[in-house]
Amino acid sequence: MIRSPMLQVFVLWFAGLGAAAQFSKVGVIFEPISAAYAGAAEVTLGLIVSVVGFAGLIFGTTAGLFVARLGYRRVLVTALLAGAGLSLIEALLPPLGLMLGLRAVEGLAHLAIVVSAPVLIAQIAPPARQGFAMTLWASFFAVSFAFTAWIGRPLVAAWGIPPLFLIHAAYMAACALLVRTLLPADARSPRLPGVQPSLLRQHGQIYASARVAAPAIGFFCYTLVYVALLTLLPPETPHPAFLASAMPLASIAVSLTLGVWMLGRVPAVKVVQGGFGLAIVSTLALWAGWGQGLAMEAAALSLAAALGLVQGASFAAIPQLNPAPEDRARAAGAVAQLGNLGTTSGTPLLAALIAAQGARGLIFFVLLPSLAGILLHQWLSARRRAMA
């Protein structure tokens, strides 16, 4: 069978869409989910969205080592099938405690996919198209949220929650079949070294490095706000269904056009800082236009577009700052870990802030991480210059 490298890249991206849908299949229907579990606290309801990220919090920096040992394709197929099975059970809408447990287990499948797929993309993509391939991969969360909102909201309004989970299960199973059919078999994996540093020591080595840790630190500031905004900002607007689809589309459009153009001319870290700067301006505009319909929605779209610059540039910063393959692997693991920390903590935190402070809570929730993203990258750049 002839296997086109770019076809394989798109198959892996499709798998990434399924992994992102493990968040978006709940995030875009947060109100119906809240109604299904009426009486639960706001923070607990937020955890239904974000608990999928818990596995990445613990195992993000070391997952790559074990996935390489087991085989990337094998792990990816297993994770996709596990995700399909878990969605089937979740379609039954079990009691809240069991649902949270299923979502936590789903996080293991999610982590396996987001660690395996980008490594395979980097291996498969032709050198001339690696930049496009990695930028495409970086869009998987935004694309998934847009598509899930487009399909999920009207579907749930007409037929209830279970059909959306069943569609996700079928999609994950189909991706598993495509990966199994179209990707080459795993090469024989190398043996792990006999003595491995402790988990705590590995974390210390990674986050003490201004080169290895930098992409992950900026990415954390992005993921902390992004999924939470896609979940909780549209219901505050006059046209929530439109905005739930349009915000991620704005991120994708900017990332794949302006973002790719800028990355060919400006260092990735500078693009990340510029994206956060534009996010601050957009957030102030959102505050000024709060409750004013069109002005509020325009500012929300501008905010999503600004964060689209951060999205792609954070992945591009990994090879720019880390020429050695082993450092790139460690940096990618840190991105997975802190990305999951952001997606896990952001939604329940923003839900609590909106409940307590309303619009003001949402505005400061975006402003502070965006400012932190700029200043932390500036500090890390100074550290790298001092060490050069």
Side-chain angles (χ1 to χ4, degrees):
M1 179 184 294
I2 298 175
R3 298 183 175 100
S4 162
M6 290 310 296
L7 174 61
Q8 294 172 343
V9 166
F10 275 99
V11 166
L12 291 166
W13 181 64
F14 293 152
L17 297 182
Q22 292 173 311
F23 284 94
S24 64
K25 69 181 181 183
V26 176
V28 301
I29 58 162
F30 188 70
E31 292 169 296
I33 286 287
S34 299
Y37 294 102
E42 288 292 328
V43 173
T44 303
L45 292 171
L47 283 174
I48 298 178
V49 179
S50 60
V51 73
V52 171
F54 280 10
L57 297 181
I58 303 170
F59 302 114
T61 56
T62 55
L65 180 67
F66 293 102
V67 169
R69 170 67 169 157
L70 295 171
Y72 290 108
R73 190 185 73 162
R74 182 180 301 110
V75 168
L76 187 54
V77 170
T78 302
L80 288 164
L81 291 174
L86 289 163
S87 272
L88 283 175
I89 300 172
E90 290 165 2
L92 300 174
L93 295 179
L96 181 58
L98 179 56
M99 174 64 92
L100 288 173
L102 291 168
R103 297 282 290 159
V105 175
E106 198 170 9
L108 294 172
H110 177 84
L111 179 61
I113 296 168
V114 301
V115 168
S116 302
V119 173
L120 286 169
I121 287 173
Q123 292 175 354
I124 290 168
R129 298 191 178 184
Q130 280 197 351
F132 167 77
M134 294 311 296
T135 303
L136 178 70
W137 171 256
S139 72
F140 76 103
F141 244 97
V143 172
S144 181
F145 263 86
F147 188 76
T148 310
W150 178 55
I151 292 291
R153 284 177 173 268
L155 180 70
V156 169
W159 300 98
I161 296 170
L164 180 61
F165 285 78
L166 294 174
I167 289 173
H168 181 248
Y171 179 89
M172 296 289 271
C175 285
L177 178 61
L178 287 173
V179 170
R180 179 70 178 80
T181 303
L182 296 178
L183 266 70
D186 295 309
R188 187 170 182 175
S189 58
R191 290 188 176 275
L192 295 176
V195 178
Q196 292 292 310
S198 68
L199 187 62
L200 183 61
R201 185 177 177 185
Q202 289 181 60
H203 282 77
Q205 291 171 345
I206 288 171
Y207 293 116
S209 170
R211 293 181 297 103
V212 176
I217 290 173
F219 197 63
F220 166 72
C221 296
Y222 158 78
T223 55
L224 180 69
V225 301
Y226 189 71
V227 173
L229 282 177
L230 294 185
T231 302
L232 298 174
L233 178 55
E236 301 291 328
T237 67
H239 304 99
F242 163 75
L243 209 60
S245 298
M247 284 180 68
L249 288 175
S251 299
I252 299 160
V254 168
S255 180
L256 292 176
T257 55
L258 179 61
V260 171
W261 181 84
M262 290 181 67
L263 286 170
R265 294 159 177 80
V266 182
V269 167
K270 294 297 184 184
V271 178
V272 170
Q273 290 178 302
F276 280 131
L278 292 173
I280 290 173
V281 174
S282 299
T283 303
L284 294 175
L286 179 64
W287 197 355
W290 194 269
Q292 296 180 28
L294 184 61
M296 182 182 180
E297 291 174 345
L301 290 174
S302 175
L303 175 57
L307 291 173
L309 291 177
V310 179
Q311 169 185 287
S314 293
F315 280 93
I318 294 174
Q320 284 191 14
L321 297 177
N322 300 281
E326 59 271 22
D327 286 339
R328 291 183 183 184
R330 294 161 70 206
V335 166
Q337 184 173 55
L338 290 194
N340 275 284
L341 176 61
T343 54
T344 300
S345 56
T347 303
L349 178 59
L350 180 56
L353 286 172
I354 291 175
Q357 300 290 329
R360 183 171 60 181
L362 184 146
I363 297 301
F364 282 98
F365 174 81
V366 182
L367 285 178
L368 294 180
S370 297
L371 181 60
I374 295 172
L375 296 178
L376 286 170
H377 264 307
Q378 199 66 27
W379 174 64
L380 290 167
S381 295
R383 281 188 58 196
R384 289 193 296 273
R385 288 193 298 268
M387 295 170 62

